[in-house]
């Protein structure tokens, strides 16, 4: 078995994890004025303590302390620059949360009656795109259902399958067969309830009295709730993700509909005045919108005329480029192509209708009911006419069975707060797991290129592997903005083991440096136009793109370059980080974790230092070579993913190095250095043992050793005979040489 495959059984639930799968409420708790004030004060304290620390260092150096030669001077300067960069990153976390908390306090949900009135009789269209490549069909099914049950006037759901259309392995063929059947199964299962609600709406329109209309609405809401509860009871609940789907998607929607039915029943029993017929029709329309969906599947790799570049961005772009057109399949030597067709629609024509909005959703993500309705309602507000992207940065599923998934999920939930704060300062980035995009904005960033004789359309940039981040700059460059809606309405899976987390975080760390020049050009353009960005936006955006690099390098420098005499590791230095850790611990407590999890988060970040360094190196390699990094999807398998041996060995080296520094500093009575190095070594050791696991780490090192020493013999190759070339290729490309090059 190769190291790319899963090699271990599903882990049992580890000690220290949470069994409760109930997420935090969709609405954030309203922070108190004292908490908001403390958040602002934390930013000020961090800046003041940092300035005092630098002042004490300058005084120390001016008196001839700490530095005795040029090498030590260089080490001291690097140390101070590293401390400054780490302080900047910590301060910007505090600044972002200081912007998020007032938004949570000010946010008020739109009332149901206002939503019903806004979308009554409206034909707003939304196309939901769910890209999937080699995903577990059971996982994709839950994501599909979470989208299909969104309440929206006109909703079209498209599963963008990106698997090999003709796989050779039987397991792959079976997975593809099951994936292709998902949308048909969904439409077939929805058909009875969809037809029932449509018939009830027609009966309501024909009702002669308000009492009859209210009776129909009450009865149909109760029936729809029973249908949803029956589906939830039949759903699998083996994993915490499956439990989330059953409880937070199906049962939550059922409870919502039951509440409406119960309210109407109470009104009838108390002889209250019946609903006006128009209001009853609005409430009934809600059921119609929930179950009226068109779901289909599209596979770009079936067509030679579409890009086959293996990344999510081009999977989305291939379909986005077809929206609003009619096409015929045409057989050519290379397979099938899609050609524009302007004739009437018939059974042999692929028609992709235009849309007002596009929803993108990862195959391991789920949306809570009303996600689309509330975000589009927000986009439809006059003040948001130039907002291109609305999203609720995803949260982590609760009840993870492994400690690593739980703590990695905690970092995701902390980032949810950060992203909300970035919106407060106009520094929002698109987070690609889920978002609603305005079609007019997508048209503004549309680009076409001719590649190998085919016109390739791009809306979403694929120059880097963080396509959402790069596209945020393109959107802003065309005068559009982005916003984070201040609720928890979307959830996405967190890697359950270190190997899968390495793949995800290495991809996230790759690309930020490449986007910084485009960000600088955006700022220059805005300054020339008389709309310069605010300092807070500049700092937050720059930190978002570059902090992985400078925090990684800065922390490594602090761990390895501080002077052994301890004169630079003072109490003030340790106090710089105090507001950051105190407020982050407070945030963890506020979002359902424990304050002491801050130590685990620190240990996890230490494990990820070499992973971030690898991502940074990949960015630099692309910068100098021009070769795009290969997109690697995060594995979503039930068994463990092997981590690269070097990325397991690096934390071991870090632990040993920090322990050695702690011992040497203790012998020199540099107690600040001793405390910091010992804490770092202990946190990293705990993380390696508790999050990765000793057995898993040894296994990964063993597989890495085998890969290093094992060299497969390459079969001798012989030139293909002349008659092996297809006649079409000879006519189109010319005869081939024996080396395979076109003459």
């Amino acid at each position: 078995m190769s190291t790319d495959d899963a090699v271990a059984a599903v882990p049992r639930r580890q000690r220290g994890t949470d069994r409760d799968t109930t997420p935090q409420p969709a609405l954030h708790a309203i922070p108190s004025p004292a908490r908001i004030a403390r958040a602002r004060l934390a930013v000020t304290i961090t800046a003041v303590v940092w300035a005092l620390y630098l002042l004490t260092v300058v005084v120390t150096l001016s008196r001839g302390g700490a530095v005795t030669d040029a090498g030590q001077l260089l080490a001291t300067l690097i140390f101070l620059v590293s401390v400054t960069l780490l302080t900047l990153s910590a301060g910007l976390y505090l600044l972002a949360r200081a912007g998020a908390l007032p938004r949570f306090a000010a946010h008020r949900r739109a009332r149901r009656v206002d939503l019903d009135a806004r979308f009554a009789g409206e034909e707003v269209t939304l196309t939901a795109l769910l890209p999937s490549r080699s995903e577990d069909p059971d996982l994709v099914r839950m994501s599909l259902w979470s989208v299909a049950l969104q309440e929206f006037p006109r909703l079209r759901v498209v599963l963008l399958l990106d698997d090999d259309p003709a796989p050779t392995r039987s397991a792959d063929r079976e997975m593809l067969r099951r994936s292709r059947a998902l949308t048909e199964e969904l439409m077939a299962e929805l058909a009875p309830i969809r037809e029932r609600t449509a018939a009830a709406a027609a009966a309501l329109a024909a009702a002669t009295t308000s009492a009859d209309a209210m009776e129909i609405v009450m009865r149909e809401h109760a029936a729809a709730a029973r249908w949803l509860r029956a589906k939830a009871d039949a759903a699998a609940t083996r994993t915490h993700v499956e439990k989330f789907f059953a409880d937070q998607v199906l049962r939550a929607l059922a409870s919502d509909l039951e509440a409406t039915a119960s309210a109407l029943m109470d009104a009838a029993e108390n002889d209250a005045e019946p609903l006006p017929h128009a209001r009853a029709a609005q409430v009934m329309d809600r059921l119609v919108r929930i179950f009226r969906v068109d779901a289909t599947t599209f596979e770009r790799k079936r067509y030679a005329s579409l890009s086959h570049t293996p990344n999510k961005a081009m999977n989305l772009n291939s379909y986005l480029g077809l929206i609003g057109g009619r096409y015929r399949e045409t057989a050519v030597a290379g397979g099938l192509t899609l050609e524009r067709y302007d004739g009437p629609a018939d059974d042999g024509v692929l028609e992709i209708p235009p849309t007002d909005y596009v929803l993108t959703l990862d195959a391991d993500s789920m949306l809570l009911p009303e996600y689309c309705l509330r975000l589009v309602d927000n986009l439809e507000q006059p003040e948001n006419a130039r907002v291109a992207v609305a999203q609720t940065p995803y949260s982590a599923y609760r009840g993870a069975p492994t400690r690593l998934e739980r703590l990695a999920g905690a970092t995701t939930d902390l980032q949810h707060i950060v992203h909300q704060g970035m919106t407060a300062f106009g520094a929002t980035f698109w987070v690609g797991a889920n978002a609603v995009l305005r079609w007019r904005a997508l048209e503004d960033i549309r680009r076409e290129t001719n590649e190998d004789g085919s016109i390739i359309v791009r809306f979403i940039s694929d120059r880097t592997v963080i396509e959402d981040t790069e596209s945020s700059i393109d959107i802003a460059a065309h005068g559009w903005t982005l916003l984070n809606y201040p609720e928890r309405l979307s959830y996405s899976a967190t890697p359950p083991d270190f190997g899968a987390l390495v793949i995800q975080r290495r991809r996230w760390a790759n690309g930020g440096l490449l986007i910084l020049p485009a960000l600088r050009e955006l700022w220059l353009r805005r300054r020339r136009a008389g709309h310069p960005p605010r300092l807070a936006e500049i700092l937050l955006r720059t930190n978002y793109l570059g902090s992985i690099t400078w925090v990684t390098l800065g922390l490594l420098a602090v761990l390895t370059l501080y002077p052994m005499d301890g004169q630079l590791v003072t109490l003030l230095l340790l106090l710089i980080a105090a507001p950051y850790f105190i407020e982050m611990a407070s945030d963890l407590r506020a979002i359902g974790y424990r304050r002491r999890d801050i130590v685990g988060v620190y240990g996890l970040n230490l494990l990820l230092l070499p992973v971030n360094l690898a991502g940074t190196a990949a960015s630099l390699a692309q910068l100098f070579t021009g070769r795009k990094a290969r997109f690697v999807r995060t594995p979503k398998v039930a068994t463990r993913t092997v981590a690269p041996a070097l990325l397991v060995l690096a934390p071991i080296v870090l632990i040993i190095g920090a322990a050695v520094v702690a011992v040497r500093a203790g012998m020199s009575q540099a107690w600040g250095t001793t405390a910091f190095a010992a804490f770092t070594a202990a946190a990293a050791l705990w993380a390696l043992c508790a999050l990765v696991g000793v057995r898993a780490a040894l296994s990964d090192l063993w597989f890495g050793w085998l890969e290093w020493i094992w060299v497969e013999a390459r079969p001798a190759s012989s030139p293909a005979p002349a008659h092996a070339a297809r006649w079409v290729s000879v006519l189109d490309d010319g005869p081939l040489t024996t080396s395979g090059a076109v003459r």
Side-chain angles (χ1 to χ4, degrees):
M1 182 178 293
S2 71
T3 58
D4 292 330
D5 297 328
V7 295
V10 179
R12 291 181 293 181
R13 178 171 294 278
Q14 296 176 339
R15 295 180 60 184
T17 57
D18 303 320
R19 293 182 178 273
D20 188 2
T21 59
T22 305
Q24 291 289 296
L27 283 171
H28 290 267
I30 297 178
S32 66
R35 188 163 185 241
I36 294 175
R38 195 183 71 195
R40 293 167 176 168
L41 184 61
V43 181
T44 303
I45 290 175
T46 299
V48 169
V49 175
W50 168 78
L52 288 175
Y53 171 73
L54 287 190
L55 181 61
T56 61
V57 170
V58 171
V59 171
T60 300
L61 294 178
S62 65
R63 292 178 177 177
V67 177
T68 58
D69 55 44
Q72 198 169 19
L73 175 62
L74 179 61
T76 299
L77 291 176
I78 294 175
F79 178 81
L80 294 177
V81 169
S82 299
V83 167
T84 299
L85 292 175
L86 291 172
T87 303
L88 176 64
S89 185
L92 290 175
Y93 170 84
L94 296 173
L95 179 66
R97 68 185 296 277
L101 296 183
R103 294 190 73 227
F104 297 155
H107 176 65
R108 297 294 182 270
R109 296 192 108 187
R111 300 175 63 204
R112 276 296 329 179
V113 63
D114 295 332
L115 292 174
D116 293 340
R118 171 174 291 279
F119 291 100
E122 288 286 336
E123 293 299 316
V124 182
T125 56
L126 185 147
T127 299
L129 303 181
L130 198 158
S132 170
R133 178 174 176 266
S134 302
E135 305 286 2
D136 181 355
D138 292 333
L139 194 65
V140 178
R141 180 183 292 107
M142 292 185 288
S143 296
L144 273 175
W145 272 96
S146 79
V147 181
L149 292 174
Q150 291 292 310
E151 174 187 350
F152 205 79
R154 292 291 175 182
L155 176 62
R156 189 166 192 264
V157 180
V158 185
L159 174 60
L160 301 179
L161 281 183
D162 213 22
D163 302 49
D164 180 356
T168 56
R169 296 175 55 201
S170 59
D172 294 338
R173 287 196 299 270
E174 175 60 17
M175 180 177 290
L176 180 59
R177 183 196 66 78
R178 292 176 59 202
S179 297
R180 283 172 170 169
L182 288 175
T183 53
E184 292 183 4
E185 292 172 359
L186 183 147
M187 292 299 292
E189 194 167 346
L190 278 174
I193 189 69
R194 183 175 63 247
E195 293 169 1
R196 172 169 179 159
T197 54
L204 177 65
T208 56
T209 67
S210 295
D212 290 341
M214 193 167 76
E215 170 67 23
I216 292 172
V217 174
M218 179 182 65
R219 182 183 66 242
E220 295 307 318
H221 274 71
R226 288 194 299 271
W227 185 88
L228 287 165
R229 287 203 177 276
K231 181 169 178 59
D233 293 340
T237 54
R238 298 162 299 180
T239 69
H240 60 303
V241 177
E242 291 172 338
K243 291 177 182 176
F244 180 95
F245 172 69
D247 292 339
Q248 307 303 323
V249 176
L250 298 178
R251 291 194 178 96
L253 181 55
S255 296
D256 223 6
L257 300 182
E258 285 171 346
T260 300
S262 296
L264 293 174
M265 184 179 297
D266 289 343
E269 290 176 350
N270 295 314
D271 296 325
E273 184 178 347
L275 281 179
H277 199 284
R279 179 62 181 136
Q282 286 182 355
V283 178
M284 187 63 212
D285 280 346
R286 181 186 185 195
L287 284 185
V288 174
R289 291 195 296 260
I290 289 173
F291 299 111
R292 182 181 60 194
V293 61
D294 176 26
T296 187
T297 301
F298 183 81
E299 299 179 63
R300 62 163 175 152
K301 288 182 178 176
R302 294 182 60 239
Y303 304 105
S305 55
L306 299 180
S307 171
H308 291 190
T309 303
N311 59 51
K312 183 177 74 172
M314 291 312 300
N315 190 12
L316 290 168
N317 284 330
S318 295
Y319 191 85
L320 289 171
L322 301 175
I323 285 179
R326 292 176 180 168
Y327 307 88
R328 279 194 181 278
E329 291 185 355
T330 303
V332 297
L336 293 175
T337 64
L338 285 176
E339 295 186 357
R340 191 84 183 202
Y341 172 73
D342 296 324
D346 57 45
D347 291 341
V349 173
L350 173 65
E351 183 170 8
I352 301 181
T355 189
D356 298 311
Y357 294 95
V358 173
L359 165 71
T360 61
L361 182 74
D362 281 358
D364 59 352
S365 299
M366 275 187 263
L367 306 178
L368 296 187
E370 298 187 349
Y371 175 96
C372 293
L373 192 73
R374 292 194 176 275
L375 264 63
V376 171
D377 171 68
N378 195 264
L379 287 168
E380 291 282 295
Q381 301 300 322
E383 64 271 21
N384 291 332
R386 292 300 296 176
V387 174
V389 179
Q391 61 189 0
T392 63
Y394 66 89
S395 301
Y397 297 119
R398 294 301 173 90
T402 67
R403 288 182 289 263
L404 183 137
E405 181 176 351
R406 178 180 175 276
L407 284 177
T411 64
T412 295
D413 291 337
L414 289 171
Q415 283 299 309
H416 175 93
I417 299 174
V418 170
H419 282 288
Q420 297 291 354
M422 292 176 72
T423 294
F425 296 103
T428 308
F429 279 95
W430 174 21
V431 182
N434 56 271
V436 174
L437 299 90
R438 196 187 298 269
W439 178 251
R440 287 194 296 111
L442 286 175
E443 287 184 312
D444 279 356
I445 60 173
R446 175 188 175 114
R447 303 182 306 279
E448 293 186 1
T449 56
N450 190 317
E451 300 177 16
D452 297 328
S454 297
I455 300 299
I456 303 301
V457 179
R458 282 180 174 83
F459 297 85
I460 302 169
S461 178
D462 70 326
R463 186 173 64 99
T464 68
V465 293
I466 48 174
E467 71 290 333
D468 47 359
T469 303
E470 185 171 7
S471 297
S472 300
I473 305 301
D474 294 338
I475 290 169
H478 285 79
W480 295 92
T481 60
L482 307 90
L483 69 82
N484 290 303
Y485 188 71
E487 294 187 18
R488 302 183 188 94
L489 296 178
S490 61
Y491 287 78
S492 194
T494 304
D497 59 71
F498 188 62
L501 187 67
V502 162
I503 293 173
Q504 181 194 69
R505 298 301 173 92
R506 183 165 52 187
R507 186 177 70 245
W508 290 0
N510 181 5
L513 296 179
L514 301 173
I515 303 172
L516 279 172
L519 183 61
R520 178 178 177 273
E521 178 59 32
L522 171 64
W523 290 334
L524 292 175
R525 188 180 310 170
R526 287 174 54 181
R527 187 172 288 111
R528 288 193 294 266
H531 304 288
R534 293 184 296 172
L535 178 61
E537 178 190 348
I538 293 174
L539 292 175
L540 286 168
R541 285 193 182 276
T542 304
N543 184 68
Y544 187 79
L545 296 177
S547 63
I548 287 180
T549 298
W550 70 56
V551 168
T552 300
L553 296 177
L555 191 52
L556 289 174
V558 167
L559 290 171
T560 57
L561 293 179
Y562 43 71
M564 292 308 303
D565 58 12
Q567 293 187 58
L568 297 184
V569 184
T570 65
L571 179 61
L572 277 177
L573 176 61
L574 300 180
L575 288 178
I576 290 176
Y580 172 77
F581 284 106
I582 291 172
E583 294 304 305
M584 183 178 287
S586 174
D587 290 340
L588 287 169
R589 181 69 181 86
I591 58 180
Y593 296 90
R594 296 184 287 267
R595 293 181 187 273
R596 65 175 180 270
D597 286 330
I598 187 66
V599 179
V601 169
Y602 178 66
L604 175 62
N605 288 334
L606 291 174
L607 290 184
L608 293 175
L609 284 179
V611 179
N612 294 335
L613 200 59
T616 298
S619 292
L620 294 175
Q622 180 174 340
L623 178 65
F624 290 114
T625 65
R627 296 181 57 184
K628 290 195 295 187
R630 184 170 63 94
F631 182 88
V632 181
R633 57 179 286 274
T634 304
K636 304 174 186 73
V637 294
T639 47
R640 194 175 69 83
T641 302
V642 172
L646 285 178
L647 298 183
V648 176
L649 185 61
I652 298 175
V653 174
L654 186 148
I655 293 167
I656 295 172
V660 169
V661 169
V663 171
R664 293 179 59 191
M667 295 174 63
S668 302
Q669 297 185 348
W671 304 121
T673 301
T674 303
F676 177 67
F679 176 72
T680 297
L685 179 62
W686 177 87
L688 183 65
C689 296
L691 304 183
V692 180
V694 175
R695 180 179 299 179
L698 292 175
S699 174
D700 293 346
L701 291 173
W702 174 251
F703 275 104
W705 166 256
L706 291 180
E707 276 201 344
W708 186 55
I709 65 172
W710 187 269
V711 179
E712 294 185 3
R714 295 183 178 179
S717 59
S718 56
H723 66 269
R726 293 188 304 171
W727 64 272
V728 173
S729 298
V730 173
L731 292 180
D732 292 349
D733 300 324
L736 302 178
T737 66
T738 56
S739 64
V742 179
R743 294 186 183 185

